[in-house]
Amino acid sequence: MRLNPYQLQEIIKTRDIATFAHEVLGMPTHEGQDHWFKISNKPINILKPANQWGKTTAEAIYHIYQANCKPQLDRFRPDFDTWYRTRYQTLNFGKTYEIAKGVMEAILDIVNSNYLLPDGSFNKSLLSGWAIKGVQDAPKLPKITWWNNSDTLIRSYDGLGESFKRLKLAFISGDECGDIPELNTFLNGTLIPRTFFYQAPIHLVGTS
């Protein structure tokens, strides 16, 4: 079964990410992830769980939700045509591109129903086959292009984020942020200014 954009709009009206994960992506989530989805819409959010908690999976789900549902447009009350046409970019960064691309790989597996679950089966995504329109997997500046003019950008923090300093971003996540020595400068000088227009959340993720 595939979900067309109009059916998707009905599901996303709940604005519940766990429900989106279960019903649209066919992804099970645990209580910790569900709690994170509910509380992580503040300007700055910090996630530092133990290994194997599923932080990369959780952030991949969050990016898929952001790209397909465009929740940061809600305050503008757009009609569907405006909602559809508005360019909407989110970002996952890491100290290196290899670290940052972990979320990208999880996004592609989840959307294409290739995510291996603990019981040995694969998830069943209703977005498979239509929601992703293009994947740019170049050594630098990789991104995923979606059906509704959304882009998921994958970047390193080289030059304190010089590759995305001019962008307006609707959601930002960073992986293994504890490995970034100038995180405070990077956060205040680069990340926060990118979120002003959309009043977007920032997720700083690491491992305890």
Side-chain angles (χ1 to χ4, degrees), residues 1 13 36 77 89 111-112 132 146 155 180 194 208:
M1 176 184 175
K13 285 177 182 178
W36 172 246
R77 300 177 180 271
Q89 294 184 311
V111 170
N112 294 320
I132 292 177
W146 301 85
R155 300 289 186 267
I180 297 177
R194 304 281 67 73
S208 60

Side-chain angles (χ1 to χ4, degrees), residues 2 16 18 27 39 48 78 129 141 158 164 166 169 191 200 204:
R2 291 184 181 180
D16 185 278
M27 289 292 294
I39 68 168
K48 193 179 179 184
L141 309 183
D158 291 346
F164 53 87
R166 64 178 181 80
L169 298 169
L191 298 183
L204 302 177

Side-chain angles (χ1 to χ4, degrees), residues 66 72 88-93 151 153 155 164-173 190-202:
Q66 279 279 341
Q72 305 310 122
Y88 191 94
Q89 294 184 311
T90 69
L91 167 74
N92 186 68
F93 71 88
D151 293 312
L153 310 178
R155 300 289 186 267
F164 53 87
K165 280 185 176 179
R166 64 178 181 80
L167 302 179
K168 292 187 294 187
L169 298 169
F171 167 57
I172 299 173
S173 64
T190 301
L191 298 183
I192 291 176
R194 304 281 67 73
T195 65
F196 284 163
F197 181 81
Y198 286 113
Q199 299 180 7
I202 298 172

